[in-house]
Amino acid sequence: MVSLNDAVSELPGVGPKRAQALKSLEIENVNDLLTYFPFRYEDLQAKDPAELTDQAKVTLKGTVAAAPVISRFGRRKTRLNFRLLLDEHTIIPVTFFNQPWLKDKLEVGNELAVYGRFDAKRQSLAGMKIIASADGGMGSIYPANKEVRQGTIQKLVESAYEAYEPVIVDLIPEPLREQYRLLHRRDMIHDMHFPTGDAAAQAARRTAKFEEFYLFETRLQIVKQQDHTLHGQAFKYDLTKLKAFIAALPYELTTAQKRVVNEICFDLKRPVHMNRLLQGDVGSGKTVVAAIAMYAAITAGAQAALMAPTEILAEQHANNLAKLFADFPVNVALLTGATKPAARKTLLPQIANGTVNLIVGTHALIQPEVTYHHLGLAVVDEQHRFGVNQRQALREKGQQPDVLAMTATPIPRTLAITAYGEMDVSVINELPAGRQPIKTSWIRSNQVDATLRQVKAELSSGSQAYVVTPLIEESEAVDMKNAEAIYARFKEEFEPTYKVGLLHGRMKNDEKNAVMDAFKANEFQVLVATTVIEVGVDVPNATVMLIYDADHFGLAQLHQLRGRVGRGKKASACILIADPKNELAVERMTTMTSTNDGFVLSQKDLELRGPGDILGKKQSGVPDFKVGDPVADLNILSAAQQAAKETVASPNWADKDANLALAAFLSTTAHQNTTMD
Ligand code: ADP
Ligand code: MG
């Protein structure tokens, strides 16, 4: 019996070579082919020339009135002219370039339709193709490539639809299909490829999008359920010890921090696998929440790991955690790419035998050589810097540790539903008491001098300042030169009253750390830096930030940078220096000065740039949907997610009649889409 899972090589006219070529379009089986949808349609409906507008692409129907004449020009170029009689009164000259072979189809008296571009002034048509059956309709245009041509796809889709139409069944369960007023799958596929008009094509597209999102979301929901039911470790943590640790903190936790600590601890205690995303704006105090969670796992006899995106940040975390745990039985160790071989050699066995129970590091933590004694909890900081693969690798260390991913980039709905759809979410929606909002202003580069006076005033009250240097995407070397030039300028301007330090990406890690430590110790008051300081750097005494060429940065990045100030009790300022060259850049600057809300900013960023740009194409975790656009079609996406939740929520859902086709389809296509790399 035929099935949509049949390889395309089962189709007539598809040999091994063509099958290989189709693979380049990600078409491997019949279902792939039938859901390889046109991206636009040509209107092939025959038109009356009286209604035509200049340069419109149209189909004209008529009879060949005079035999074609071929003329040559240039090297090997040809022009084929003939006259098409539309009705008794109208004759239109038609020209085809470089298709001399068409001559054979153009005998006088032949009836045909010609698709082409209409020239109103000359009342002529530049022919593009000849349509034999003159009944018009809509011509489907597919994304094609060098190996597989447009015409090939059209023919294959036609023959596949004809042969497989009887086995196309509805995947979306009947009640949902009715609730969301969707087409039957068979009709949807038909009308996507062979619509009778615009309305039919649009209705089909809506169903196609819904189906695509629905299948994806159903898979996510299944993964999420499995996470919740499979092999989780139940941590019997020591509540008394945990309370003692919290009581010893130099501050009281905010209400929001307490709430998320409870959510996390509840997950730790349950015998289910935790896969939780901790969202909180910059400065909301995620680190201490992570520390409490890690301590809980440790009091239950497990190890905890914290993975940070940069060595600087890893080192800072290690230092902070060592301080936090100074009076508690926790052995903190740091493992990064910069760890010296000798140190590494002592450390690895200690990780393997459990002497070290809190390991902080970069992606060095997930190298195969690193084995853990009993990794219970893995925390990923600023997780948007990591690919899904790296998160996955950490998860696969040891016995499926619970995972807590932290992000300061609030997740717009689109991403929450796609890239993070399989995770539970905790939100810290409150800043520690006493924080003053950061005042952000935007100046032109010719106003810098006045600003420097403002910076000096801040410094004279004992504060410190960051100066962020321009971002040159192409070259770290140029970044460094910029940083050095600005460093020289600030030295001249501020020293000897205030000392100026420099930090850039080309420095060795030891040097970077020495600079950070010195700045933290207030050994110098102005730090000129490239974006290496973007993530996580914590110096509460710094209250001013100057950002050069701010229009070169994205909103999310500016917000991260700005989050380096406003960490103490003093009021802070962020000054954007920018001479934006276009509307979008102006909009970014005014958005920055008008809100401190990371959520508003990331939504705006998503609208302005799209998900791939925000998180990095490969890393966004947003799959490449074929018809749906997860940003533009957010409403359909949300509805599909809701529908998928309903489907999977009922016990034994896969055995219900209405869901049989869906379950069968998902089980035979398990490899698709949710493998997010
Ligand atoms: P982020 O969420 O950006 O990672 P951090 O964890 O670095 O924020 O915390 C920012 C600063 O706030 C740190 O200096 C931290 O010690 C401090 N902090 C965290 N929680 C509180 C709290 N409840 N009250 C006061 N300060 C806090
Ligand atoms: Mg942080």
Side-chain angles (χ1 to χ4, degrees):
M1 219 189 68
V2 297
S3 130
L4 297 189
N5 289 320
D6 288 352
V8 276
S9 52
E10 303 279 316
L11 295 168
V14 183
K17 214 170 146 202
R18 178 155 284 173
Q20 195 58 38
L22 285 167
K23 216 171 158 176
S24 69
L25 298 175
E26 288 174 27
I27 300 173
E28 297 189 40
N29 62 29
V30 174
N31 188 68
D32 298 336
L33 179 64
L34 290 177
T35 54
Y36 193 80
F37 295 129
F39 65 95
R40 67 180 176 86
Y41 304 94
E42 280 168 352
D43 187 357
L44 299 183
Q45 217 82 51
K47 291 276 173 4
D48 179 346
E51 298 165 6
L52 295 180
T53 51
D54 189 36
Q55 301 305 313
K57 286 187 185 168
V58 292
T59 302
L60 297 177
K61 201 162 123 181
T63 42
V64 180
V69 177
I70 295 178
S71 48
R72 297 184 185 277
F73 64 103
R75 291 188 58 192
R76 291 196 208 144
K77 290 186 180 152
T78 64
R79 188 189 291 126
L80 179 153
N81 289 306
F82 70 98
R83 285 164 181 276
L84 189 68
L85 177 67
L86 301 185
D87 55 46
E88 279 144 66
H89 315 289
T90 323
I91 287 185
I92 295 256
V94 182
T95 310
F96 275 94
F97 288 98
N98 304 322
Q99 300 185 53
W101 58 86
L102 289 178
K103 188 171 198 276
D104 300 340
K105 293 188 179 176
L106 300 169
E107 276 172 42
V108 176
N110 273 4
E111 265 201 42
L112 48 81
V114 185
Y115 178 75
R117 192 186 292 279
F118 184 71
D119 185 322
K121 207 166 113 206
R122 298 201 177 88
Q123 288 287 301
S124 66
L125 192 71
M128 292 157 81
K129 74 179 167 205
I130 294 193
I131 301 152
S133 68
D135 59 355
M138 305 266 279
S140 299
I141 307 299
Y142 297 89
N145 63 20
K146 266 210 166 96
E147 291 166 86
V148 194
R149 299 289 180 182
Q150 197 56 239
T152 310
I153 301 170
Q154 286 166 347
K155 273 188 214 121
L156 283 176
V157 168
E158 258 176 58
S159 71
Y161 186 81
E162 206 165 296
Y164 286 84
E165 195 228 88
V167 293
I168 302 176
V169 293
D170 282 326
L171 301 179
I172 300 170
E174 171 97 36
L176 288 174
R177 198 173 47 71
E178 279 172 10
Q179 181 186 345
Y180 292 99
R181 279 170 287 125
L182 304 168
L183 303 178
H184 283 292
R185 186 164 209 249
R186 189 177 296 162
D187 299 336
M188 177 272 282
I189 290 179
H190 180 275
D191 287 358
M192 281 299 283
H193 294 291
F194 325 111
T196 49
D198 280 340
Q202 266 171 38
R205 191 157 291 264
R206 179 172 165 275
T207 296
K209 285 175 177 178
F210 190 99
E211 180 187 286
E212 182 173 39
F213 289 145
Y214 175 76
L215 294 175
F216 172 78
E217 288 296 331
T218 308
R219 287 198 181 93
L220 274 190
Q221 293 302 325
I222 293 169
V223 170
K224 191 166 177 173
Q225 262 189 359
Q226 283 167 350
D227 256 357
H228 281 186
T229 48
L230 288 177
H231 47 236
Q233 311 175 37
F235 295 105
K236 293 199 180 61
Y237 58 80
D238 188 327
L239 189 58
T240 319
K241 285 185 185 165
L242 214 54
K243 283 188 168 156
F245 176 68
I246 295 171
L249 291 171
Y251 42 74
E252 168 139 24
L253 293 182
T254 63
T255 313
Q257 283 172 320
K258 286 180 191 158
R259 174 172 41 75
V260 303
V261 164
N262 278 331
E263 287 167 1
I264 295 164
C265 284
F266 181 73
D267 269 1
L268 289 174
K269 202 158 49 182
R270 289 194 299 168
V272 303
H273 183 259
M274 173 168 84
N275 190 14
R276 189 170 279 281
L277 182 69
L278 176 59
Q279 275 193 58
D281 215 336
V282 275
S284 62
K286 295 182 289 293
T287 314
V288 70
V289 169
I292 295 166
M294 292 191 288
Y295 189 49
I298 290 168
T299 66
Q303 288 170 303
L306 172 65
M307 184 160 80
T310 64
E311 279 164 12
I312 288 204
L313 189 53
E315 167 135 6
Q316 242 191 63
H317 273 315
N319 289 341
N320 285 342
L321 290 168
K323 250 180 253 156
L324 274 174
F325 287 118
D327 301 328
F328 296 84
V330 173
N331 286 326
V332 183
L334 176 70
L335 180 67
T336 70
T339 306
K340 300 253 158 45
R344 192 181 155 89
K345 214 169 149 194
T346 14
L347 190 53
L348 289 187
Q350 293 175 328
I351 297 175
N353 68 24
T355 342
V356 162
N357 47 15
L358 203 173
I359 306 100
V360 183
T362 52
H363 46 259
L365 293 184
I366 53 177
Q367 287 165 344
E369 308 89 80
V370 186
T371 52
Y372 295 83
H373 180 61
H374 176 193
L375 182 58
L377 174 64
V379 178
V380 186
D381 192 21
E382 305 298 350
Q383 67 78 38
H384 64 285
R385 294 300 196 86
F386 290 103
V388 182
N389 293 340
Q390 288 164 316
R391 269 190 270 159
Q392 195 65 27
L394 189 55
R395 256 178 80 169
E396 280 159 11
K397 283 281 177 192
Q399 302 131 311
Q400 292 270 352
D402 280 358
V403 172
L404 180 67
M406 306 198 285
T407 176
T409 307
I411 311 297
R413 295 247 310 134
T414 289
L415 302 187
I417 296 175
T418 54
Y420 304 104
E422 90 288 11
M423 303 180 100
D424 293 309
V425 179
S426 289
V427 183
I428 308 183
N429 52 358
E430 172 188 11
L431 294 178
R435 288 280 169 81
Q436 310 226 28
I438 303 163
K439 200 175 163 305
T440 302
S441 51
W442 163 32
I443 61 163
R444 304 270 170 180
S445 54
N446 59 14
Q447 298 169 295
V448 169
D449 287 345
T451 303
L452 292 187
R453 284 195 288 280
Q454 184 190 340
V455 173
K456 278 183 188 155
E458 283 288 326
L459 296 184
S460 72
S461 75
S463 288
Q464 290 165 276
Y466 292 103
V467 178
V468 179
T469 61
L471 174 80
I472 312 291
E473 298 267 344
E474 307 84 58
S475 150
E476 218 175 274
V478 182
D479 275 355
M480 184 185 74
K481 258 178 83 184
N482 269 315
E484 278 171 347
I486 291 179
Y487 171 61
R489 171 158 183 217
F490 273 78
K491 253 176 119 68
E492 201 171 82
E493 182 85 27
F494 284 81
E495 290 193 341
T497 320
Y498 306 107
K499 287 185 74 185
V500 183
L502 173 66
L503 188 69
H504 61 71
R506 281 275 179 108
M507 290 163 72
K508 296 223 174 62
N509 284 300
D510 298 355
E511 297 173 297
K512 282 189 207 161
N513 290 324
V515 170
M516 275 323 297
D517 289 345
F519 188 58
K520 209 162 185 166
N522 203 356
E523 285 167 26
F524 53 88
Q525 291 68 47
V526 180
L527 179 61
V528 175
T530 58
T531 52
V532 280
I533 61 152
E534 178 190 345
V535 162
V537 168
D538 187 31
V539 181
N541 193 45
T543 59
V544 195
M545 173 172 286
L546 223 58
I547 304 178
Y548 275 86
D549 281 1
D551 53 324
H552 290 204
F553 297 90
L555 285 175
Q557 204 176 10
L558 287 171
H559 187 58
Q560 279 289 327
L561 283 168
R562 176 169 67 180
R564 301 309 111 215
V565 294
R567 305 196 137 233
K569 287 214 154 42
K570 290 198 253 182
S572 292
C574 173
I575 301 151
L576 310 172
I577 307 169
D579 306 309
K581 304 275 184 302
N582 59 51
E583 282 300 304
L584 277 182
V586 170
E587 195 173 338
R588 285 207 301 279
M589 295 306 102
T590 50
T591 308
M592 282 302 293
T593 56
S594 65
T595 181
N596 267 318
D597 185 333
F599 190 86
V600 173
L601 286 168
S602 71
Q603 185 62 42
K604 192 92 195 169
D605 218 12
L606 188 68
E607 285 161 20
L608 295 179
R609 298 194 301 160
D613 267 358
I614 292 188
L615 301 176
K617 194 94 202 139
K618 275 271 175 256
Q619 308 211 340
S620 74
V622 180
D624 281 330
F625 291 104
K626 293 205 264 183
V627 267
D629 173 339
V631 179
D633 302 320
L634 181 58
N635 287 337
I636 304 181
L637 178 64
S638 308
Q641 184 200 35
Q642 188 51 40
K645 278 185 181 162
E646 281 168 31
T647 304
V648 176
S650 54
N652 304 324
W653 67 271
D655 300 331
K656 294 196 175 132
D657 282 349
N659 300 332
L660 287 178
L662 171 67
F665 181 85
L666 291 176
S667 69
T668 55
T669 53
H671 64 287
Q672 290 174 3
N673 254 352
T674 27
T675 53
M676 299 197 276
D677 53 11

